Amino acid sequence: MALLGHLAGGVVLRSLTSGTGRADSVADHANFAAHRQFSTWMSKQYPSLWDDYCRRAGRSTPCGATSNYPIVPGSGFVSLAGSNGVSGYVAQAGNVGIITYVEYSYAVDTTGFPVAKVLNKAGYYVEPTASNVAVALLKARINEDSSSPDYLTQILDDVYNNTDPRAYPLSSYSYMIIPTALELNFNNQKGKTLGAFAYYFLCQGQQHVDTLGYSPLPINLVQAGLNQVRRIPGVDVQSIDIKSCHNPTFSTDGTNTLLETAPYPSACDRVGSSPCDGTGPGGMTQSITTTLEPGALVISIAGSPHVELPSPVLDSSGEFLHTSGQMTPVTVSDTRPGNIGWTASGQVGDFTGPAGSIIDGSSLTWALAIVDRGDVQSVTAGALVVPGDGRGLKDARTLATGIGPGVADVGTGLDLDAPTSTLPGTYTAVLTLTVI
């Protein structure tokens, strides 16, 4: 019964160096599952070529799927035992040019060698990455005809012919054979434990399989597996909401996020194009995609937008009514990429008071800025605006400048020198702060 699916076998290459003239192949008689998958693909996609080879190996045709790969005498094939055996043979220094078909994890963990890109139905050469395999397996079907001798086995025809540009055509998944009746030494307690394990690996257990050289199951195969777990004798049947499985191939609303997030092959991987970066199929490349958002430059007030200065008093010269206080600090946030830089400035209008009386905006000045540059690379205070310069803050003045993305806080002291002839009352002006 099909429960667990992982990344299909990949074609492992030992790079062929110029002048060696070798292109031998390794057949693995012990790795039955991998060879059955490969021979099934050959029989479905290239039946005439496969039958011709089988005839030369002394097998009857149509050849179909076989777990023992047929050997043609004198063909250059070498027979070895086990996935470790064939991948290790490819890795030997004297075996440059050897090629074999084995589970992808052995290419990653045993040899560290590249795998061949395979041409898919969309016309792209693709590698058996976790996402490419999972995309392909979205087309996997299961034989649900209980009268068929192949009941509950995988049907991969639509996987082989998947027209998604990312689909790896040789993708398949592994099986777990589980009991559906109490017999021999299998009891309900063992069924309970087996069922709990099956629920685990079908859901949250799929999160990190790609680091082991396997592919997480797409949603269609997870659902198919869950339907079978309930048949285990003694299982604590769980009503699992598949959306909460935390499987990386689908989202919490049950949709296939994989179709949105899986990277597409490069244009150079399309059939007829020049090799990508000078490497042909089997090169060790990864497609890494990121989206750089445009970011923003924002100024905001870190506290109350209202500043109340104390009542002015006659200054020592006897010419002005003077008061001072602190401007509410402002926060500048720059999330734009690069070191574009920014300038924060301020400008005030006239103060208006009772009966239409005013205090000219030029009467307001500020001291050097008080800066907390936070994580911004560099922040510099603007020039001091001294009382009596004739324009004060009625002209736009620089409060501070900054370079680099990040967040910084800027504030300063304010001074107001009003004429002694100013009528009593409350005066209000608006200080406009901008950043560009």
Side-chain angles (χ1 to χ4, degrees):
M1 185 198 65
L3 275 182
L4 177 62
H6 284 312
L7 187 135
V11 181
V12 184
L13 297 179
R14 180 71 162 95
S15 299
L16 181 65
T17 58
S18 176
T20 63
R22 297 192 62 190
D24 297 342
S25 299
V26 180
D28 169 11
H29 280 288
N31 189 13
F32 301 131
H35 278 302
R36 189 166 186 85
Q37 295 294 352
F38 183 69
S39 60
T40 299
W41 177 72
M42 286 291 296
S43 67
K44 295 280 189 177
Q45 298 295 298
Y46 305 98
S48 61
L49 293 174
W50 182 234
D51 286 345
D52 177 67
Y53 176 84
C54 286
R55 276 192 296 268
R56 289 187 285 120
R59 292 181 61 96
S60 61
T61 57
C63 195
T66 174
S67 296
N68 290 292
Y69 198 85
I71 300 295
V72 176
S75 64
F77 278 88
V78 178
S79 178
L80 294 167
S83 297
N84 275 323
V86 295
S87 57
Y89 188 81
V90 171
Q92 293 177 22
N95 290 334
V96 175
I98 296 291
I99 183 172
T100 190
Y101 178 81
V102 72
E103 293 158 280
Y104 180 79
S105 59
Y106 286 90
V108 174
D109 298 326
T110 304
T111 66
F113 283 172
V115 295
K117 295 179 181 179
V118 176
L119 182 64
N120 64 20
K121 291 298 181 180
Y124 286 88
Y125 291 99
V126 294
E127 292 186 19
T129 62
S131 59
N132 287 346
V133 170
V135 167
L137 289 177
L138 286 169
K139 296 293 187 178
R141 292 179 290 122
I142 294 175
N143 186 335
E144 297 183 351
D145 180 4
S146 58
S147 65
S148 169
D150 297 322
Y151 178 48
L152 294 181
T153 59
Q154 56 191 352
I155 302 173
L156 300 177
D157 299 60
D158 294 338
V159 174
Y160 302 151
N161 297 299
N162 194 328
T163 57
D164 191 300
R166 299 163 293 183
Y168 181 72
L170 272 74
S171 299
S172 62
Y173 55 93
S174 303
Y175 285 82
M176 172 179 278
I177 307 300
I178 62 171
T180 57
L182 298 174
E183 54 186 355
L184 299 177
N185 63 345
F186 186 81
N187 55 37
N188 283 325
Q189 188 59 38
K190 290 181 179 179
K192 179 178 180 180
T193 302
L194 177 60
F197 173 65
Y199 279 125
Y200 167 76
F201 71 63
L202 283 169
C203 283
Q204 59 265 41
Q206 297 286 315
Q207 294 182 53
H208 305 295
V209 295
D210 58 328
T211 61
L212 302 175
Y214 294 91
S215 171
L217 286 172
I219 192 170
N220 52 314
L221 295 180
V222 171
Q223 186 63 69
L226 292 174
N227 291 340
Q228 299 302 320
V229 174
R230 63 180 61 250
R231 299 177 60 191
I232 301 174
V235 65
D236 283 339
V237 176
Q238 300 180 27
S239 179
I240 290 183
D241 182 355
I242 196 170
K243 296 181 293 185
S244 63
C245 272
H246 304 294
N247 182 305
T249 68
F250 48 91
S251 67
T252 54
D253 64 2
T255 58
N256 290 317
T257 54
L258 184 72
L259 292 177
E260 301 293 332
T261 60
Y264 281 82
S266 301
C268 57
D269 280 320
R270 187 167 180 80
V271 66
S273 301
S274 300
C276 300
D277 299 325
T279 63
M284 292 295 284
T285 62
Q286 294 184 8
S287 175
I288 302 174
T289 303
T290 184
T291 301
L292 185 62
E293 299 296 338
L297 178 63
V298 178
I299 188 169
S300 59
I301 297 175
S304 171
H306 305 292
V307 177
E308 186 170 343
L309 299 177
S311 296
V313 296
L314 191 66
D315 74 342
S316 58
S317 68
E319 298 179 3
F320 299 101
L321 298 170
H322 176 79
T323 184
S324 62
Q326 292 293 319
M327 183 189 85
T328 301
V330 294
T331 298
V332 178
S333 176
D334 188 1
T335 58
R336 301 170 298 173
N339 295 326
I340 300 175
W342 50 265
T343 298
S345 60
Q347 185 175 17
V348 73
D350 292 335
F351 289 80
T352 58
S357 58
I358 65 169
I359 300 174
D360 195 276
S362 61
S363 301
L364 186 69
T365 59
W366 60 28
L368 285 175
I370 303 169
V371 172
D372 178 0
R373 71 181 184 90
D375 56 353
V376 177
Q377 178 181 328
S378 173
V379 181
T380 303
L384 175 70
V385 182
V386 296
D389 75 345
R391 295 300 300 172
L393 293 181
K394 196 163 187 176
D395 289 343
R397 303 296 183 115
T398 298
L399 178 62
T401 58
I403 298 176
V407 179
D409 293 324
V410 183
T412 187
L414 298 174
D415 289 284
L416 177 64
D417 288 327
T420 56
S421 59
T422 304
L423 295 176
T426 299
Y427 290 78
T428 301
V430 175
L431 176 64
T432 302
L433 298 157
T434 58
V435 63
I436 56 175

